[in-house]
Amino acid sequence: MWRGLGLPGLIDVHTHFMPDNVLRKVWAFFDALGEGVWPITYRLGDEERVALLRAFGVLRYTALAYPHRPRMAEWLNAWSADFAAQHPDCLHSATFFPEEGAAGYVVDAIGAGARVFKAHVQVGGYDPRDPLLSGVWGALADSGTPVVVHCGTGPQSGRFTGPGVFAEVLREHPRLTAVVAHFGTPEYTEFMDLAQRYEHVYLDTTMVFTRFTERTAPFPAAELPRLGDLREKILLGTDFPNIPYPYSEQLRALRDLGRGDDWLRAVLYGNAARLFGL
């Protein structure tokens, strides 16, 4: 697909690499949903998965990790920094948690070269409006460092998920460069509204439009025309390796929207290249 579009390759802003014991717990969560409900297609070691991404034509990818308790983020950040140093194709990734000192270690991570952060409101179980995060959002906004934020209520809602809560964060930090994970599934309309309202809010395509997601959280047909208006705000994301279908399914789903080659070139490569200065 990318060769046919005249692209040098793909940029995937939503992929996961994390310490082995953490990743196995993530996989165990999906396994517990029941046999065949959410099979992990790429249950492989780090180097095998890196090789697969390169074979797919992915030029840059992320190593998104996220904590679920205090005093975990800095350890994850150290692991991610080492992973990025060993894999130049990886955008140096980092994360945070609402705790004393969070703003300080986020500033340190940015200074050490972090290019993208991850916030998972549902898994973390925290309020993104927590005063302990005000300095974090401020540091990210001031530096222009993107943060991929899982704040929609899919696939499982949390106490602080949903567009209303994160809209309050954006009102306080309107210059924050936020990439709404999973297109905000299932609150597509509300998160598209935020992307149009705020200059630096983007949406990633992770799992959206695929046959898997369409069964439980279909994208509203009435909103399809807005995909053209938001062409420069949409970034390729896949959730690799934690997907229950082949990587190509995400690309097929985007192609089948029929938005045209220019739209695909922007989503699969151009928008992320511009955002990350690649």
Side-chain angles (χ1 to χ4, degrees):
M1 179 185 285
W2 57 263
R3 286 193 183 97
L5 292 168
L7 293 174
L10 307 167
I11 301 174
D12 191 337
V13 303
H14 194 140
T15 62
H16 296 286
F17 288 89
M18 55 188 74
D20 184 67
N21 62 320
V22 178
L23 187 58
R24 290 186 182 279
K25 288 180 180 178
V26 172
W27 289 345
F29 168 82
F30 291 114
D31 291 344
L33 297 176
E35 186 176 355
V37 175
W38 194 305
I40 304 297
T41 303
Y42 299 100
R43 198 186 298 256
L44 304 165
D46 287 348
E47 297 311 314
E48 292 173 284
R49 285 183 277 124
V50 166
L52 270 178
L53 287 175
R54 288 173 177 162
F56 296 157
V58 179
L59 300 176
R60 294 289 189 275
Y61 55 90
T62 55
L64 302 183
Y66 41 88
H68 59 273
R69 55 178 170 77
R71 295 180 296 280
M72 184 177 178
E74 287 186 273
W75 168 64
L76 289 173
N77 289 349
W79 187 95
S80 298
D82 184 63
F83 183 86
Q86 295 180 50
H87 301 88
D89 297 346
C90 180
L91 293 167
H92 181 171
S93 309
T95 189
F96 51 84
F97 193 82
E99 57 190 335
E100 294 293 339
Y105 67 66
V106 164
V107 169
D108 289 343
I110 294 170
R115 306 283 302 278
V116 60
F117 281 73
K118 169 71 173 186
H120 203 311
V121 174
Q122 184 265 321
V123 170
Y126 58 78
D127 189 339
R129 302 163 299 186
D130 191 314
L132 289 168
L133 290 179
S134 182
V136 169
W137 300 125
L140 294 172
D142 290 345
S143 65
T145 307
V147 53
V148 177
V149 187
H150 188 137
C151 48
T153 60
Q156 288 188 342
S157 63
R159 186 179 173 190
F160 302 108
T161 56
V165 174
F166 197 65
E168 293 187 34
V169 174
L170 291 171
R171 279 197 291 272
E172 184 178 351
H173 304 279
R175 295 184 297 108
L176 180 67
T177 301
V179 180
V180 177
H182 300 271
F183 228 88
T185 305
E187 293 94 2
Y188 303 112
T189 296
E190 293 85 348
F191 282 109
M192 290 169 77
D193 291 343
L194 290 177
Q196 289 190 308
R197 186 178 310 149
Y198 292 96
E199 179 182 0
H200 303 294
V201 173
Y202 298 80
L203 304 153
D204 82 31
T205 67
T206 301
M207 299 189 72
V208 186
F209 312 114
T210 64
R211 286 169 287 208
F212 181 86
T213 300
E214 284 291 296
R215 290 197 298 267
T216 56
F219 190 86
E223 298 289 19
L224 287 171
R226 297 181 69 186
L227 297 179
D229 299 333
L230 288 164
R231 185 179 79 175
E232 296 185 355
K233 292 294 198 81
I234 302 172
L235 310 172
L236 173 64
T238 64
D239 229 357
F240 176 90
N242 306 327
I243 45 178
Y245 45 72
Y247 190 91
S248 57
E249 167 67 7
Q250 183 72 72
L251 305 183
R252 180 209 60 79
L254 295 173
R255 180 201 63 201
D256 289 354
L257 291 170
R259 305 308 304 177
D261 288 357
D262 287 343
W263 188 88
L264 283 172
R265 278 189 279 267
V267 171
L268 299 181
Y269 178 83
N271 294 340
R274 184 177 65 254
L275 178 62
F276 290 101
L278 301 174

